[in-house]
Structures are given as structure tokens and as C-alpha cells.
Amino acid sequence: MLVLAYTKNSKVSLAVEAFDRAGNYRFGLSILSCNPLLSALVKKKDIGNTENVYKEMIRRRIEPNLITFNTMINGLCKAGKLNKAGDLVEDMKAWGISPSVITYNTLIDGYCKMGKAGKMYKADALLKEMISKNIVANEVTFNILIDGYCKDENVVAATKLFEELKNRQDLVPSVITYNSIINGLCHQGELDKALSLQKEMLASNVKPNVVTYNVLIDGFCKNGMLKEAHEVFDSMAGQGITPTYITYNTLINAYCKDGEMQEAIHLHDSMSLVRDVRPDDVSTYNCLISGFCREGNKEGASEILDEMKEKGVRADLITYNILIGALCREGESRKAVKLLNEMLEIGLHPSHVTYNMLIDGYCREGKLATALNMRTRMEKDGRKANVVTYNVLIKGQCQKGKMQEANGLLNEMLEKGLVPNRITYDIIRDEMMEKGFVPDIDGHLYGGV
DNA sequence: TTAGGGTTAG
């Protein structure tokens, strides 16, 4: 009972401890406590403990049910462990449990959100497999695929599914469907189409929500139409929609990127006048710090940091990343490493972004050996080198004229199954080919050059 | 089980 009580009170680590103790004292633990605990751990993105609790459940012969498997598969997908998630589908069958529409939706979403080429092909294959097993796709299935195609910059495929959904007798598009497709259109710069879909929502009795407005505001901002973005923002009140801190962050960030720090600060100040909007979220401060750093205004940035301290708002991973990035770009990698150590001291786990910026910082200063040491440190910290890491290192080697070393890194990256992106090709073209060096790597790379 | 903002390489 203790496990469930702690889980319900969001005391997840205490719940895990109670779960462990329950094993030793042989207290009865039922699936009714285990499933919520697994679900809470997944929500906390604590995949390590999620997997441990699951293994322990099996060891203690607590029989998993459909919800257990769906929760586990969701957790593994969110952690990017798609293969393990697939294995669990086989496990559940062995337990005599058939995958449900939720199982398939979860897996399809996992593939949709994976950053790999051809992921939508895999997602579509899963959809076909699901249909072949007479499991009927629901509105969520459509939403997941529509969003996946939009993020894959294939709005045509997304629109096709959207039309299919509208033609179905048993299903209707929801606000989430519309938001996904409006977001996709915004990213393609098709603001007119996005706005007409917003009108279509009203005609179909689907009420736009704050996300709809956030997406439109961001769309206008990212297409350099700040005035129009502000107009959408101003129109919210008339529709009875209250902006959230995300709405403000979107606009504040756009003004920061436009170099209009005055307007950004003004917006931040005005947040405190709106009911239910917290002006002291760390993410809003991050927008402002990033804005000041971008224009090289150190005083501005430290004023914001001081204000955060005054108000008791703690810097997070992204705050540190912004500051580390700024120092690295200014050739102050040593100071940046001090911040890296500081974040470790206060218990913040540096991300790929943190390490990649530091590696890039050293490369910019021509300190290639130190850059490679930083990669070692990164991997010791459990962050595997990714495409950005290799791009940065390859460029660093090229700029020092070390073409064989650059080529070696390129091969290494391909051997690890990392997929080169547009920037990799730009580096090869601009740095390698330009210097008359022909990359001595296997054929599949040339397709994109 | 699904949608929105803030940090990296050009």
C-alpha cells in the first residue's frame, strides 16, 4: 500500500524505496501498485528505475498485464530504445497478451519521433501491420502519424491522412489534429494555409486552444513576421484564450533574436500583470539571457542572472548551455569548462549540447587534442558522440589541414551507424572537396553530396 | 498512446 500512496503523492523515489523494501519483507505487492509506479517513473523519464522495477516485478512473480506492457513500451520509446520496445511486444505475446491499439500507437509514435531517415517508412509499416491484425486505427493513431509526417517535412503525406480522417464516419479530427497540421504548415512557411485551417476549425466546431495560438505566433515569428505574430497574440483575449508562459517565451525569444531587447524586457515585465501567468519561470529567463548573450551584452545577461538569484529561480541545464555556448563562441573555452564543472557540482547533468559546444570551442581555438579529450570525457559521462559531435570535430580537423584525420572521423561516424546530415555534406563540400581532398569512404555518402 | 516555447555544428 505504501508504494501506491507515495506514487499518488508524487514521491516517486520514496515509492521506489518502498517497492524495494516490500521485496525483502515479503509484503504483498500487486499489479495495482506496480503499474502506477512504472507510469510515474516513465513520466519522470527515469528509464533506469523503470526497467529495474519491471525486472523485479517479474522476479517476484507479479504478473504484468496489458497496461504494464504499454507503460514499459512507452517508457522505452521515449528513451529512444526502440529495439527494446519491440522486444517487449514479443514478450507480451509470450505472456498471452495481445498488443492493443495503444501499444501500436505508442510504438508508431516512438518511430515518428526518432531522428532517423526512413523513420516514417517504419511507422507506416507498423500501421499496416496493425491493420492486418484487425486492430482499428483511432484518432490518436492519425494524430501521431500526421504530426510525424509534418515533422518529417512531408506536409503532403500529412494532409492526405488529414483528409482521410475527415472522410471517416467513425472518427473526427480534434484540436490536436489541427494543431499538428497548422504547425507543419507554419514550418513550411505556409502561413496563409495555416490561418485558413484555423478558420476551418471554427466552422467545424473545433475550438482553437492556447496551443493553436502558440503555434501560429511561433510560425509568424520564425518567418520574420513579428508584427503579425503580435497581432495574433493580441487577438487571443477576444477569443477568451489566456496566454501561458510558453506564449510569452515564443514572442520574447523572437524579439531577442531580432535584437529588440527593450521589447523583450517589456513583454517580460508585462507578464506579471496577467493572471495565472508566472513571470519567473526559468525558461523565460533563459530566453532573455540568450538574447543578451547573442548581442554580446554581458552586463544585460548578468543582470538577468542577478534577478533570478533575487527571486530564487535556479539556473537549469539550458541556462548553463546558453552561457557555455556564449563563452565558447568568444574563444573563452577555459571559462566555459569552469561552468561545466560548476553544473556537475550542483547536480546538473550536462547534455550532448553542452559537450558539443565545448568541443567546438576547443576546435575554434585550434586545440584539437583538448577537443578530443572532451569527447572522451563526454562518453565517460554516458553521452555518446552524435552527428553534431562528429561534424564539429571533422570541421576542426579540416581547418587545421588534417584531412586524413578528418576522413578517419568521417569513417568512424559511418561505422557507428550515425547518419550524416546536410551540415556534414556542407563540411565535406566546403572543407574537403574545396581543398582537393576526395573523401575515401564508401559509396552511400556520395548520394547526398 | 497524440499537439506548442527556451541551449549546439553551417
Side-chain angles (χ1 to χ4, degrees):
Chain A
M1 279 317 285
L2 217 47
V3 173
L4 188 59
Y6 280 134
T7 306
K8 279 186 176 167
N9 283 303
S10 312
K11 306 246 193 297
V12 185
S13 42
L14 288 175
V16 173
E17 281 175 27
F19 174 86
D20 288 338
R21 275 200 310 273
N24 298 334
Y25 293 108
R26 296 189 187 178
F27 286 152
L29 251 186
S30 84
I31 194 73
L32 294 173
S33 310
C34 293
N35 283 346
L37 175 58
L38 286 174
S39 173
L41 286 167
V42 167
K43 218 175 193 174
K44 273 187 73 185
K45 296 180 184 169
D46 186 350
I47 191 63
N49 273 317
T50 309
E51 289 187 281
N52 286 340
V53 167
Y54 174 75
K55 275 184 209 144
E56 265 302 298
M57 274 177 68
I58 304 298
R59 201 182 64 80
R60 295 184 204 169
R61 303 186 193 287
I62 300 168
E63 194 169 319
N65 61 16
L66 177 63
I67 295 175
T68 317
F69 282 108
N70 284 348
T71 307
M72 285 306 299
I73 290 166
N74 185 27
L76 289 167
C77 284
K78 297 264 150 59
K81 299 181 172 187
L82 274 298
N83 290 333
K84 270 195 175 177
D87 291 345
L88 262 191
V89 177
E90 296 310 311
D91 286 357
M92 71 192 281
K93 287 177 191 163
W95 281 86
I97 301 167
S98 303
S100 69
V101 63
I102 295 181
T103 318
Y104 273 99
N105 286 350
T106 306
L107 269 177
I108 292 172
D109 190 52
Y111 278 102
C112 284
K113 291 193 169 50
M114 193 174 62
K116 267 195 180 162
K119 60 180 189 172
M120 292 314 291
Y121 181 82
K122 182 75 188 169
D124 188 57
L126 275 167
L127 174 71
K128 292 201 169 90
E129 180 186 312
M130 167 176 152
I131 293 167
S132 77
K133 292 189 174 168
N134 291 321
I135 298 170
V136 182
N138 61 16
E139 184 223 310
V140 177
T141 320
F142 276 91
N143 290 347
I144 288 167
L145 284 163
I146 287 170
D147 189 61
Y149 280 118
C150 283
K151 302 259 161 73
D152 205 36
E153 298 185 343
N154 189 349
V155 183
V156 174
T159 308
K160 219 174 136 190
L161 276 174
F162 183 50
E163 293 303 323
E164 195 182 320
L165 175 60
K166 283 196 272 192
N167 288 329
R168 287 271 295 245
Q169 299 299 312
D170 54 336
L171 302 172
V172 283
S174 70
V175 61
I176 294 182
T177 326
Y178 276 100
N179 289 348
S180 292
I181 204 131
I182 289 174
N183 193 28
L185 288 166
C186 285
H187 280 275
Q188 295 293 309
E190 308 206 60
L191 278 310
D192 290 341
K193 282 190 187 167
L195 283 177
S196 60
L197 266 186
Q198 187 201 10
K199 290 203 184 81
E200 185 185 306
M201 290 174 81
L202 296 166
S204 324
N205 277 324
V206 181
K207 200 175 176 303
N209 62 13
V210 66
V211 178
T212 320
Y213 284 91
N214 290 348
V215 164
L216 283 167
I217 290 169
D218 191 49
F220 280 115
C221 287
K222 297 257 158 74
N223 283 280
M225 300 161 83
L226 261 151
K227 194 170 152 280
E228 288 81 354
H230 214 120
E231 280 167 12
V232 175
F233 176 73
D234 290 334
S235 76
M236 293 174 75
Q239 300 300 316
I241 309 279
T242 312
T244 65
Y245 72 101
I246 294 182
T247 322
Y248 278 95
N249 285 356
T250 308
L251 264 181
I252 287 174
N253 200 40
Y255 281 115
C256 287
K257 284 193 170 150
D258 213 33
E260 297 190 51
M261 291 309 297
Q262 292 268 345
E263 183 61 33
I265 295 287
H266 172 73
L267 267 169
H268 180 229
D269 290 341
S270 70
M271 286 173 82
S272 54
L273 306 173
V274 185
R275 219 158 43 105
D276 297 331
V277 176
R278 293 179 44 192
D280 56 356
D281 194 276
V282 62
S283 63
T284 311
Y285 284 111
N286 287 343
C287 295
L288 294 168
I289 294 169
S290 159
F292 281 122
C293 285
R294 193 177 287 116
E295 59 177 29
N297 185 344
K298 284 207 171 77
E299 293 78 32
S302 38
E303 272 176 33
I304 301 294
L305 286 166
D306 289 343
E307 188 181 325
M308 285 171 71
K309 253 184 212 150
E310 257 170 48
K311 298 201 170 162
V313 181
R314 286 174 62 175
D316 70 357
L317 166 69
I318 296 187
T319 319
Y320 275 93
N321 282 354
I322 292 165
L323 296 170
I324 287 171
L327 287 169
C328 287
R329 278 190 296 277
E330 289 167 8
E332 306 246 40
S333 300
R334 281 176 65 105
K335 283 189 188 169
V337 173
K338 279 190 181 165
L339 284 181
L340 172 73
N341 294 330
E342 189 179 304
M343 63 191 292
L344 287 164
E345 274 167 27
I346 62 171
L348 287 172
H349 190 189
S351 64
H352 279 98
V353 177
T354 322
Y355 286 110
N356 287 341
M357 288 187 303
L358 285 160
I359 292 167
D360 184 45
Y362 282 126
C363 286
R364 282 165 191 260
E365 293 175 28
K367 297 173 179 166
L368 293 184
T370 321
L372 288 165
N373 284 339
M374 187 53 75
R375 178 182 66 163
T376 309
R377 186 169 168 184
M378 164 183 184
E379 299 207 312
K380 273 190 189 149
D381 191 24
R383 303 289 190 198
K384 277 186 193 161
N386 64 15
V387 181
V388 180
T389 319
Y390 278 99
N391 285 351
V392 163
L393 283 170
I394 291 168
K395 188 160 167 65
Q397 298 284 4
C398 286
Q399 285 174 345
K400 278 229 147 183
K402 302 201 168 184
M403 307 313 281
Q404 289 297 343
E405 285 83 351
N407 192 55
L409 283 165
L410 192 53
N411 274 317
E412 192 182 304
M413 139 181 204
L414 292 167
E415 276 162 20
K416 285 189 180 171
L418 291 170
V419 184
N421 61 19
R422 191 183 296 153
I423 296 174
T424 321
Y425 292 123
D426 285 346
I427 294 167
I428 293 169
R429 194 176 47 242
D430 298 347
E431 302 284 340
M432 291 188 155
M433 305 292 225
E434 181 80 5
K435 294 189 174 89
F437 185 90
V438 181
D440 117 46
I441 38 180
D442 49 70
H444 71 273
L445 191 59
Y446 290 101
V449 179

